[in-house]
Amino acid sequence: MGGKRKRDTEGILPVISNGEDAAMKSNIPIADGSVHTTTIQIVTGSYERVLHGFTATIQTPSKADCEAKFADTFLIQGHSSAIRCLALSPFSSTTDSSQPQKIILASGSSDERINLYHLSASPPPSNVQNAHKKTTTGMTVTENPKNRELGSLLHHSATISALCFPTRSKLLSAAEDNTIAITRTRDWTMLSTIKAPLPKALGRPSGDTAPPGGVPSGVNDFAIHPSMKLMVSVGKGEKCMRLWNLVTGKKAGVLNFSREILQGVGEGRWGSGEGRKVEWDSKGEEFVVGFERGAVTYGMDSKPKSRVLPLPQTKIHQLKYLAPSIDTPLPDDTVESDLLAVSTEDGRIIFFSTNSTKVATPSTGKTVSNPPSCLAIAELGGKAAGLAGRIKDFEVLKLPATESSGNSLVIVAASSDGATRLWITNFDELLQTRKTYNTNKKMRQDINGNAAAFESSKAPGGAPRQIGRLVGTYRTGGNRITCMKAFVMANQATDDKYESELGLAIGDDEDINAVEEGSDSDSD
């Protein structure tokens, strides 16, 4: 990273299309009293083993004709196999502006390695020599010497499936060897390992890639409760989820998925029935388990609350909770709960209101065993927007609040065809849409009746309301994206602060080498 690696100018350089030429030529004004610029650092991993970092600069408040301005920051072939997952450490909680912000990027791959990198939390000043360059294709390259490689961890013996920084001091990693490793970021020592049992061999489900005589095994995903005391994990070949006590590091319970639950989310007779994704909401009062074509939300009592079904039915690739801002006043009569965003195979990101449900009862008066379906209040992308490629991963970022921009959101969506798209929408619009649906009692009755009424009650054509405005598309030539992470960068550093941080980064080389040697010795 930084200036130590040269870019290959043949076949791997990004190609700008779908309006990026205009974005590159647009002059985004420097922040003044009313107009501000926000820089977003985006990192993608791909099947081609390429770790690609680039920035997107947008103007806030965003104008109707404003486009994002993209610039490359780094391009690394850091693994010997496909990159499967990424994780970013949180920002420091310090309020001292003189202290440099450090962001750690972790990438997991099928080569059993976890690579670690240090990313700059702020873009370099515009007048730094050789920081901003132009390639032969006209693409801008913004090199930052503070972006550097830290080393590799060899804590697993199989494909890395999930990574997470619950705090700045800990890194949790899951792999297909049925283990979840807890690593201390201070010296990258593995503190503990949580071992999940191997699933029982109950036949070979559709799509099974286990060797002859073996069974599919491995942790698909895990989610940590906001209290940092509880964790939920789902694994391959298991029709259940496991609860772990992080205080003791031992199993807290096993919750099986009933046949009715699996059938309700589209898991047929020949489906694996395994959970693929799991996520907690911001309050820790609800979590969702994602399957291949649907998801189920659970309360703190571990009982199913509702189903999440994208209509028309399609595969689910990623899901995230979107929490209201603490300092944002909510509209009147608005239920203060998180929205659930789901990305699909057909290029949509659908926003569900998990509290807009009501248990339906048939004519016999008996309660239906399956939980009700959540209400899809809005969506972006898809065929209605002229986009049909699957969205493998996405991030929802909150822009700095201003009087004119309000509660603006930037949604970064990465598709497997190599395109990364930026959408701008407003969170108040989502809340107001949910409020409108909640106050319509007739609609709520139709939603819990049947799928046909559910579709016809939402909008002309049977689709949720389209939101968001596409402000830029960034394409990488031939890289099939598998995972993506993004964060809003801090304000542009001044020259003095930038030089001091750069000197600190260069002076830490000896410590970095010591960490790398320590990681290798621990792994061996």
Side-chain angles (χ1 to χ4, degrees):
M1 300 179 69
K4 298 181 180 180
R5 296 178 183 264
K6 294 183 178 180
R7 295 177 55 85
D8 185 4
T9 57
E10 296 182 1
I12 202 169
L13 281 176
V15 178
I16 295 180
S17 62
N18 193 16
E20 288 92 335
D21 290 337
M24 288 298 302
K25 297 178 182 179
S26 64
N27 296 321
I28 298 180
I30 301 176
D32 55 20
S34 58
V35 179
H36 302 269
T37 57
T38 301
T39 302
I40 300 174
Q41 175 69 65
I42 304 171
V43 183
T44 62
S46 63
Y47 285 112
E48 287 73 24
R49 311 178 298 278
V50 174
L51 192 65
H52 189 184
F54 55 94
T55 59
T57 304
I58 57 178
Q59 176 180 320
T60 56
S62 179
K63 299 180 180 179
D65 57 348
C66 178
E67 298 287 341
K69 183 178 181 181
F70 296 97
D72 280 335
T73 52
F74 57 86
L75 188 67
I76 300 175
Q77 189 168 338
H79 292 273
S80 59
S81 187
I83 299 176
R84 302 295 297 274
C85 53
L86 298 172
L88 290 171
S89 67
F91 276 88
S92 174
S93 59
T94 179
T95 58
D96 187 2
S97 59
S98 62
Q99 296 294 329
Q101 289 279 1
K102 295 183 178 180
I103 298 293
I104 299 176
L105 169 67
S107 63
S109 170
S110 301
D111 61 4
E112 306 173 5
R113 288 178 173 267
I114 301 174
N115 287 352
L116 302 170
Y117 307 89
H118 174 257
L119 298 184
S120 172
S122 59
S126 58
N127 57 351
V128 174
Q129 186 177 6
N130 297 329
H132 306 273
K133 300 179 180 179
K134 287 281 188 178
T135 63
T136 56
T137 60
M139 186 66 191
T140 302
V141 177
T142 303
E143 295 185 358
N144 198 324
K146 291 189 295 180
N147 294 343
R148 65 187 189 278
E149 187 173 355
L150 298 180
S152 299
L153 302 178
L154 299 174
H155 293 167
H156 296 278
S157 59
T159 298
I160 311 299
S161 57
L163 295 168
C164 176
F165 283 95
T167 63
R168 289 179 56 85
S169 61
K170 298 294 186 294
L171 168 65
L172 272 70
S173 57
E176 293 185 0
D177 57 3
N178 267 47
T179 62
I180 300 176
I182 303 175
T183 305
R184 183 172 56 197
T185 60
R186 184 178 61 188
D187 53 4
W188 301 110
T189 300
M190 185 170 63
L191 301 177
S192 178
T193 300
I194 298 175
K195 179 70 174 179
L198 291 174
K200 297 180 181 179
L202 299 176
R204 301 180 67 87
S206 175
D208 181 14
T209 57
V215 294
S217 62
V219 179
N220 283 334
D221 196 15
F222 63 89
I224 302 173
H225 190 267
S227 66
M228 307 296 175
K229 297 180 179 180
L230 178 67
M231 179 175 66
V232 180
S233 67
V234 290
K236 294 182 183 295
E238 291 186 321
K239 297 181 180 181
C240 67
M241 57 181 170
R242 299 184 180 274
L243 278 67
W244 304 91
N245 187 338
L246 294 182
V247 178
T248 62
K250 297 182 179 180
K251 180 179 67 175
V254 179
L255 301 176
N256 295 318
F257 304 133
S258 64
R259 179 180 299 178
E260 292 78 10
I261 289 293
L262 295 178
Q263 291 178 350
V265 293
E267 290 288 333
R269 179 181 179 183
W270 306 110
S272 63
E274 64 187 36
R276 301 174 185 269
K277 295 288 181 180
V278 61
E279 185 82 11
W280 282 96
D281 69 348
S282 61
K283 297 181 180 179
E285 299 176 353
E286 177 183 288
F287 66 94
V288 59
V289 178
F291 299 89
E292 186 176 16
R293 293 181 178 272
V296 179
T297 63
Y298 292 83
M300 281 300 295
D301 55 359
S302 300
K303 294 182 179 180
K305 293 177 57 179
S306 59
R307 293 176 297 159
V308 178
L309 294 173
L311 296 176
Q313 278 200 328
T314 182
K315 288 184 179 180
I316 288 178
H317 290 284
Q318 187 60 275
L319 43 83
K320 295 178 184 293
Y321 276 102
L322 176 58
S325 178
I326 297 177
D327 54 355
T328 299
L330 296 175
D332 296 337
D333 300 330
T334 300
V335 180
E336 186 177 355
S337 64
D338 296 0
L339 297 175
L340 180 63
V342 176
S343 67
T344 64
E345 177 83 8
D346 54 5
R348 295 179 294 164
I349 297 180
I350 310 175
F351 297 89
F352 290 90
S353 177
T354 58
N355 67 327
S356 300
T357 57
K358 183 179 180 180
V359 178
T361 54
S363 58
T364 58
K366 297 181 180 180
T367 303
V368 179
S369 58
N370 250 335
S373 297
C374 292
L375 173 64
I377 62 174
E379 70 178 19
L380 61 81
K383 294 182 179 179
L387 305 174
R390 70 172 67 96
I391 298 179
K392 292 289 291 185
D393 206 349
F394 68 95
E395 288 284 348
V396 181
L397 305 174
K398 296 180 180 179
L399 293 178
T402 61
E403 295 182 359
S404 53
S405 63
N407 303 317
S408 297
L409 300 176
V410 173
I411 301 175
V412 186
S415 303
S416 59
D417 59 359
T420 301
R421 297 178 175 88
L422 270 69
W423 305 76
I424 287 185
T425 185
N426 195 284
F427 191 69
D428 294 337
E429 183 180 1
L430 289 172
L431 294 179
Q432 189 62 38
T433 304
R434 179 171 64 178
K435 176 186 174 182
T436 302
Y437 282 127
N438 286 342
T439 54
N440 192 328
K441 295 182 179 180
K442 181 178 182 299
M443 180 185 301
R444 293 183 63 185
Q445 294 173 357
D446 291 343
I447 290 169
N448 293 279
N450 53 64
F454 175 60
E455 283 296 289
S456 62
S457 65
K458 288 186 286 187
R465 177 185 178 186
Q466 276 283 337
I467 63 170
R469 180 176 65 86
L470 183 65
V471 296
T473 303
Y474 185 90
R475 297 184 182 275
T476 57
N479 292 339
R480 297 167 296 168
I481 297 176
T482 58
C483 50
M484 183 270 299
K485 289 294 179 182
F487 65 92
V488 178
M489 304 187 76
N491 294 332
Q492 195 173 63
T494 61
D495 294 344
D496 295 339
K497 183 179 178 181
Y498 180 80
E499 291 177 0
S500 63
E501 293 179 10
L502 180 57
L504 178 61
I506 296 175
D508 286 343
D509 285 344
E510 296 180 358
D511 296 337
I512 296 168
N513 294 333
V515 169
E516 292 177 355
E517 295 174 0
S519 300
D520 294 339
S521 62
D522 292 338
S523 302
D524 295 337

